[in-house]
Amino acid sequence: MDFLRPTTWEDALAAKAGQPDALPVQGGTDVMVEINFDLHRPAALLDLNPVRELAEWDVVDGRLRVGAGVPYVRLIEELGDRLPGLAQASRTVGSPQIRNRGTVGGNLGAASPAGDSHPPLIAGDAEIEVASAARGVRMIPATEFYTGVKRNALEPDELIRAFWTDPAPGPQYFSKIGTRNAMVIAVCSFAIALHPGRRRVGTGVGSAAPTPRRATAAEDFLSAELDWEGRGPLSISAAKEFGELVKRAASPIDDVRGTADYRRHALSVMARRTLTWAWNDYRDGAKAGKEAS
Ligand SMILES: Cc1cc2nc3c(=O)[nH]c(=O)nc-3n(C[C@H](O)[C@H](O)[C@H](O)COP(=O)(O)OP(=O)(O)OC[C@H]3O[C@@H](n4cnc5c(N)ncnc54)[C@H](O)[C@@H]3O)c2cc1C
């Protein structure tokens, strides 16, 4: 097996163009498991770790551009205040060892429906920056990045450079159901992000369909229902209807981790809970005289 070790982004793109069947490896927490279990024998490995640009993040015109190789532990420590939903999701990924190595770039590359970074990326309207030596840069909305179970929109000669998202303009929450509290793949998961400036609610549903997805009808309903100006209390009926609409957005299956019925029920509960937390935070911001939008 060839082992390619470019040290710059341009060299990485050239290496991928020259050998499109080379498998990129960042943290290796998915790739090495597959190789160790002999599930995958790539012709070559393209080690992206020496490419320093991938491990950096920046603010460009007010938006965060986070390199595909920034590990979860740094997302939590360095960006937890600006991306609270993604930081919450990152805290639930694997163990400290996995969070030290694993990255959002790798989560996107693997594109598992159960990947924990996907719901907050979708709820936060993130875009994925990908590039190839031949065709340059493409920006793909997170909602369009996942194309099937463990499939994504990358072309064979493309690599993920970064994800772009706004620093949270309002409260964000992530919730995950597992068979235990740590080291667990999601039975299902849910993320909510309030966008007060746009009077919009963002959602992301994980592990309850072939791909992570938005709950569009739930977003539309709630965005119109919430008292953004007056910051009035959330009605029980609105929270219940939101939970129902999130549940209906899912198309889960029965598998070893849970039944489809259980997943639907759990999603409606997580949707109501995270909405209540987020809306209370938004209202508290008003009470404290803080600008929450
Ligand atoms: C014990 C254990 C527990 C885990 N727990 C969780 C969990 O709780 N939640 C969760 O979501 N995941 C979990 N995972 C899966 C894994 O840790 C995550 O998917 C992680 O985000 C992968 O990141 P990585 O950098 O290690 O990816 P890698 O293993 O390096 O790569 C993963 C995939 O992405 C591709 N890739 C990587 N970088 C790029 C790039 N820049 N451009 C194009 N393709 C790229 C690779 O080719 C590969 O297909 C767990 C794994 C293990 C072993």
Side-chain angles (χ1 to χ4, degrees):
M1 186 190 298
D2 289 337
F3 192 68
L4 312 174
R5 271 202 124 207
T7 55
T8 65
W9 178 238
E10 289 69 29
D11 287 351
L13 291 180
K16 188 68 171 142
Q19 204 165 342
D21 58 357
L23 186 69
V25 55
Q26 186 70 56
T29 60
D30 279 315
V31 167
M32 295 315 297
V33 172
E34 296 213 337
I35 291 177
N36 285 340
F37 281 99
D38 210 12
L39 298 173
H40 203 48
R41 280 280 135 198
L45 279 179
L46 176 60
D47 180 14
L48 297 173
N49 283 275
V51 181
R52 292 187 49 188
E53 301 97 300
L54 291 176
E56 290 167 359
W57 63 264
D58 205 354
V59 182
V60 183
D61 297 332
R63 292 192 88 198
L64 282 164
R65 182 194 195 213
V66 184
V70 175
Y72 292 112
V73 70
R74 285 186 48 214
L75 286 174
I76 296 165
E77 287 171 5
E78 297 169 26
L79 291 168
D81 56 342
R82 277 167 275 198
L83 299 176
L86 184 61
Q88 285 171 21
S90 301
R91 281 189 205 100
T92 76
V93 173
S95 59
Q97 293 88 338
I98 298 296
R99 292 193 289 274
N100 275 328
R101 294 292 313 163
T103 63
V104 169
N107 218 216
L108 288 164
S112 160
D116 287 320
S117 71
H118 312 316
L121 289 179
I122 291 174
D125 292 336
E127 288 182 297
I128 318 304
E129 179 186 341
V130 308
S132 76
R135 280 164 288 113
V137 174
R138 279 203 296 154
M139 298 294 286
I140 307 174
T143 42
E144 292 167 26
F145 188 78
Y146 315 99
T147 54
V149 177
K150 298 192 175 179
R151 292 211 325 270
N152 60 37
L154 281 182
E155 297 293 338
D157 63 343
E158 282 180 325
L159 293 172
I160 304 164
R161 171 66 182 82
F163 69 87
W164 291 69
T165 190
D166 288 334
Q172 300 184 340
Y173 279 96
F174 172 80
S175 184
K176 165 176 169 179
I177 302 273
T179 46
R180 56 185 182 183
N181 268 345
M183 281 289 287
V184 74
I185 304 176
V187 174
C188 56
S189 61
F190 181 73
I192 189 166
L194 301 189
H195 303 271
R198 289 188 279 144
R199 305 290 188 247
R200 204 179 83 71
V201 176
T203 61
V205 175
S207 207
T211 64
R213 56 168 65 161
R214 288 170 62 185
T216 314
E219 289 178 0
D220 292 346
F221 163 75
L222 197 63
S223 300
E225 187 73 16
L226 290 173
D227 177 14
W228 296 101
E229 296 289 335
R231 304 189 192 222
L234 179 69
S235 74
I236 292 172
S237 61
K240 204 172 162 204
E241 178 65 8
F242 180 65
E244 279 302 307
L245 291 169
V246 167
K247 174 175 164 178
R248 271 185 241 156
S251 46
I253 53 168
D254 294 336
D255 68 10
V256 287
R257 296 203 300 279
T259 62
D261 279 350
Y262 176 72
R263 285 185 159 102
R264 281 194 200 93
H265 170 71
L267 276 172
S268 70
V269 174
M270 287 191 292
R272 283 202 308 270
R273 267 187 206 156
T274 53
L275 166 61
T276 306
W277 297 331
W279 190 249
N280 285 344
D281 285 359
Y282 181 66
R283 298 189 71 216
D284 283 350
K287 279 183 209 146
K290 282 189 267 167
E291 185 48 64
S293 59

